[in-house]
Amino acid sequence: MRTSVHVAARSYVYIANEINRIFLESIQSAGLDPTAYVEIQQTIENGLRTWITMQYLEAAHLEIVERGTQVVRSRIDLGLSYVQNPSDDRYSTDIDRVRGALAGTPKMFGCEYRVVVTLKDGAPDVSGWGPTSLGSVDHLQRQDVGEVVNTGGGRLQMYRFL
């Protein structure tokens, strides 16, 4: 039992770190300054790690919106599937797949970004996070990028709206 708890805990930290990494890659590919993200990264990590560890996180979303109108110009969705494989001490990220999907992203000057999460019912509150809803992406094209993170504790599936 000790081994499975250890593998799961490391997997959850790895997944939270990789969500941050993918979101930072996405921000930079859109030509936006990552400073605002880095300034609140600890709050983002606290939420992600809490909800992943307790298995409440369903998906993490990075929305890039026009300032003022808040119209969504792009969104990255990372859907999380939990896996219980205590003997699988694997940690892989297909960063080439992520970068390939982000290649050719138009520069979105004049936009800002935000992180939104989708949680299962009963998720605990985390300091710095508050209720909100996702912006509409009905006007955008959805691309299924595929699995981008794979660990013994969970997998991330990436979707891109542009």
Side-chain angles (χ1 to χ4, degrees):
M1 183 61 132
R2 181 181 169 124
T3 302
S4 66
V5 171
H6 183 65
V7 169
R10 286 195 326 178
S11 291
Y12 297 156
V13 168
Y14 183 85
I15 290 167
N17 290 344
E18 292 306 282
I19 290 171
N20 276 316
R21 179 181 178 192
I22 292 167
F23 284 173
L24 283 166
E25 292 267 351
S26 301
I27 290 165
Q28 289 181 308
S29 74
L32 301 175
D33 183 354
T35 303
Y37 189 94
V38 173
E39 288 173 354
I40 61 169
Q41 190 167 354
Q42 190 60 54
T43 300
I44 294 168
E45 286 178 13
N46 290 344
L48 293 174
R49 288 183 180 166
T50 298
W51 295 315
I52 292 169
T53 300
M54 299 175 74
Q55 297 191 5
Y56 281 105
L57 184 74
E58 293 179 335
H61 314 272
L62 176 73
E63 286 187 334
I64 298 176
V65 299
E66 292 178 7
R67 277 195 185 94
T69 67
Q70 297 301 298
V71 171
V72 178
R73 295 270 312 276
S74 176
R75 190 171 86 198
I76 300 295
D77 292 355
L78 297 173
L80 178 57
S81 301
Y82 295 94
V83 178
Q84 299 302 322
N85 192 351
S87 63
D88 189 357
D89 199 16
R90 171 182 22 122
Y91 306 93
S92 66
T93 300
D94 192 343
I95 199 65
D96 290 334
R97 178 178 283 195
V98 171
R99 289 178 178 151
L102 297 174
T105 298
K107 301 307 177 202
M108 298 187 192
F109 304 116
C111 289
E112 56 193 12
Y113 48 85
R114 68 185 190 133
V115 175
V116 179
V117 293
T118 305
L119 303 171
K120 296 177 185 172
D121 290 339
D125 292 337
V126 173
S127 179
W129 290 80
T132 190
S133 56
L134 290 166
S136 173
V137 291
D138 293 345
H139 59 288
L140 300 175
Q141 184 105 30
R142 177 182 156 159
Q143 175 190 6
D144 182 351
V145 176
E147 188 176 280
V148 293
V149 175
N150 189 341
T151 75
R155 296 185 179 107
L156 288 176
Q157 182 83 17
M158 181 174 164
Y159 301 93
R160 178 179 183 219
F161 294 84
L162 188 62

